[in-house]
Coordinates of all heavy atoms in Angstrom, one line a residue:
H1415 N -2.2 -1.4 -9.9 CA -1.5 -0.9 -8.7 C -1.7 -1.7 -7.5 O -0.8 -1.9 -6.7 CB -2.0 0.6 -8.5 CG -1.5 1.2 -7.2 ND1 -0.3 1.9 -7.2 CD2 -2.0 1.2 -6.0 CE1 -0.1 2.3 -5.9 NE2 -1.1 1.9 -5.2
V1416 N -2.9 -2.1 -7.2 CA -3.2 -2.9 -6.0 C -2.6 -4.2 -5.9 O -1.9 -4.6 -5.0 CB -4.8 -3.0 -5.8 CG1 -5.1 -3.8 -4.6 CG2 -5.4 -1.6 -5.6
Q1417 N -2.7 -4.9 -7.0 CA -2.0 -6.3 -7.1 C -0.5 -6.1 -7.0 O 0.2 -6.9 -6.4 CB -2.3 -7.0 -8.4 CG -3.8 -7.4 -8.5 CD -4.2 -8.1 -9.7 OE1 -3.4 -8.2 -10.7 NE2 -5.4 -8.6 -9.8
A1418 N 0.0 -5.0 -7.6 CA 1.5 -4.8 -7.6 C 2.1 -4.6 -6.2 O 3.2 -5.0 -5.9 CB 1.8 -3.6 -8.5
H1419 N 1.3 -3.9 -5.3 CA 1.8 -3.7 -3.9 C 2.5 -4.9 -3.3 O 3.5 -4.8 -2.7 CB 0.6 -3.3 -3.0 CG 0.5 -1.8 -2.8 ND1 1.5 -1.1 -2.1 CD2 -0.5 -0.9 -3.1 CE1 1.1 0.2 -2.0 NE2 0.0 0.3 -2.6
M1420 N 1.9 -6.1 -3.5 CA 2.4 -7.3 -2.8 C 3.8 -7.7 -3.3 O 4.5 -8.3 -2.6 CB 1.4 -8.4 -2.9 CG 1.2 -8.9 -4.3 SD -0.1 -10.2 -4.3 CE -1.6 -9.3 -4.6
Y1421 N 4.1 -7.2 -4.5 CA 5.4 -7.6 -5.0 C 6.6 -6.9 -4.4 O 7.8 -7.2 -4.6 CB 5.4 -7.5 -6.6 CG 4.6 -8.6 -7.2 CD1 3.2 -8.5 -7.2 CD2 5.2 -9.7 -7.7 CE1 2.5 -9.5 -7.7 CE2 4.4 -10.8 -8.2 CZ 3.1 -10.6 -8.2 OH 2.3 -11.7 -8.7
A1422 N 6.3 -5.9 -3.5 CA 7.3 -5.3 -2.7 C 8.0 -6.3 -1.8 O 9.1 -6.2 -1.3 CB 6.7 -4.2 -1.8
N1423 N 7.3 -7.4 -1.6 CA 7.8 -8.5 -0.8 C 8.9 -9.3 -1.5 O 9.6 -10.2 -0.9 CB 6.7 -9.5 -0.3 CG 5.9 -8.9 0.9 OD1 6.5 -8.7 2.0 ND2 4.7 -8.5 0.7
F1424 N 8.9 -9.2 -2.8 CA 9.9 -9.9 -3.6 C 11.2 -9.2 -3.7 O 12.2 -9.8 -4.2 CB 9.3 -10.2 -5.0 CG 8.2 -11.2 -5.0 CD1 7.0 -10.9 -4.5 CD2 8.4 -12.5 -5.5 CE1 5.9 -11.8 -4.4 CE2 7.3 -13.4 -5.4 CZ 6.1 -13.1 -4.9
I1425 N 11.3 -8.0 -3.3 CA 12.5 -7.2 -3.4 C 13.6 -7.8 -2.5 O 13.3 -8.1 -1.3 CB 12.2 -5.7 -3.1 CG1 11.2 -5.1 -4.1 CG2 13.5 -4.9 -3.1 CD1 11.6 -5.2 -5.5
G1426 N 14.8 -7.8 -3.0 CA 15.9 -8.4 -2.2 C 16.1 -9.9 -2.5 O 17.0 -10.5 -1.9
G1427 N 15.2 -10.5 -3.3 CA 15.3 -11.9 -3.7 C 15.0 -12.8 -2.6 O 15.5 -13.9 -2.5
K1428 N 14.0 -12.4 -1.7 CA 13.6 -13.3 -0.6 C 13.0 -14.6 -1.2 O 12.2 -14.6 -2.1 CB 12.5 -12.6 0.2 CG 13.1 -11.8 1.4 CD 12.0 -11.3 2.3 CE 11.4 -10.0 1.8 NZ 10.3 -9.5 2.5
E1429 N 13.3 -15.7 -0.5 CA 12.6 -17.0 -0.9 C 11.2 -17.0 -0.3 O 11.1 -16.9 0.9 CB 13.4 -18.2 -0.3 CG 14.6 -18.6 -1.1 CD 14.2 -19.2 -2.4 OE1 13.3 -20.0 -2.5 OE2 14.9 -18.8 -3.4
I1430 N 10.2 -17.1 -1.1 CA 8.8 -17.2 -0.6 C 8.2 -18.6 -0.8 O 8.3 -19.0 -2.0 CB 8.0 -16.1 -1.2 CG1 8.5 -14.7 -0.6 CG2 6.5 -16.2 -0.9 CD1 7.9 -13.5 -1.2
A1431 N 7.7 -19.2 0.2 CA 7.1 -20.5 0.1 C 5.7 -20.4 -0.3 O 4.9 -19.6 0.3 CB 7.3 -21.3 1.4
F1432 N 5.3 -21.1 -1.4 CA 3.9 -21.0 -1.8 C 3.2 -22.3 -1.5 O 3.8 -23.3 -1.3 CB 3.9 -20.8 -3.4 CG 4.4 -19.5 -3.8 CD1 5.7 -19.4 -4.3 CD2 3.7 -18.4 -3.6 CE1 6.3 -18.2 -4.7 CE2 4.3 -17.1 -4.0 CZ 5.5 -17.1 -4.6
P1433 N 1.9 -22.3 -1.3 CA 1.0 -21.2 -1.5 C 1.1 -20.1 -0.5 O 1.5 -20.4 0.7 CB -0.4 -21.8 -1.5 CG -0.3 -23.1 -0.7 CD 1.1 -23.5 -1.0
A1434 N 0.8 -18.9 -0.8 CA 0.9 -17.8 0.1 C -0.4 -17.0 0.2 O -1.1 -17.0 -0.8 CB 2.0 -16.8 -0.3
I1435 N -0.7 -16.4 1.3 CA -1.8 -15.5 1.4 C -1.3 -14.1 1.4 O -0.4 -13.8 2.2 CB -2.7 -15.8 2.7 CG1 -3.4 -17.1 2.6 CG2 -3.6 -14.7 3.0 CD1 -4.5 -17.1 1.5
S1436 N -1.9 -13.3 0.6 CA -1.4 -11.9 0.5 C -2.4 -10.9 0.9 O -3.5 -10.9 0.3 CB -0.9 -11.7 -1.0 OG -0.7 -10.3 -1.2
L1437 N -2.2 -10.1 1.9 CA -3.1 -9.0 2.3 C -2.5 -7.7 1.8 O -1.4 -7.3 2.2 CB -3.2 -9.0 3.8 CG -4.0 -7.8 4.3 CD1 -5.5 -7.8 3.9 CD2 -3.9 -7.7 5.9
V1438 N -3.3 -7.0 1.0 CA -2.9 -5.6 0.5 C -3.8 -4.7 1.3 O -5.1 -4.7 1.1 CB -3.1 -5.5 -1.0 CG1 -2.6 -4.1 -1.4 CG2 -2.3 -6.5 -1.8
A1439 N -3.3 -3.9 2.2 CA -4.0 -2.9 3.0 C -3.5 -1.5 2.7 O -2.4 -1.1 3.1 CB -3.9 -3.2 4.4
S1440 N -4.3 -0.8 1.9 CA -3.8 0.6 1.5 C -4.9 1.6 1.8 O -5.9 1.3 2.5 CB -3.5 0.6 0.0 OG -4.6 0.4 -0.7
G1441 N -4.8 2.8 1.2 CA -5.7 3.9 1.5 C -7.1 3.6 0.9 O -8.1 4.0 1.4
G1442 N -7.1 2.9 -0.3 CA -8.3 2.7 -1.0 C -8.7 1.2 -1.0 O -9.8 0.9 -1.5
H1443 N -7.9 0.3 -0.6 CA -8.2 -1.1 -0.7 C -7.7 -1.9 0.5 O -6.7 -1.6 1.1 CB -7.4 -1.7 -2.0 CG -8.0 -1.1 -3.2 ND1 -9.0 -1.8 -3.9 CD2 -7.8 0.0 -3.9 CE1 -9.3 -1.0 -5.0 NE2 -8.6 0.1 -5.0
T1444 N -8.5 -3.0 0.7 CA -8.2 -4.0 1.7 C -8.5 -5.3 1.0 O -9.7 -5.7 0.9 CB -8.9 -3.9 3.0 OG1 -8.8 -2.5 3.5 CG2 -8.5 -4.8 4.1
E1445 N -7.5 -6.0 0.5 CA -7.8 -7.2 -0.4 C -7.0 -8.4 0.0 O -5.8 -8.2 0.3 CB -7.5 -6.9 -1.8 CG -8.0 -5.5 -2.4 CD -9.5 -5.4 -2.6 OE1 -10.2 -6.5 -2.6 OE2 -10.0 -4.3 -2.7

Side-chain angles (χ1 to χ4, degrees):
H1415 173 87
V1416 174
Q1417 294 181 351
H1419 258 296
M1420 63 184 92
Y1421 286 79
N1423 282 295
F1424 289 71
I1425 299 302
K1428 272 187 273 177
E1429 277 293 315
I1430 291 174
F1432 295 103
I1435 289 294
S1436 169
L1437 172 68
V1438 183
S1440 70
H1443 291 268
T1444 307
E1445 315 287 346

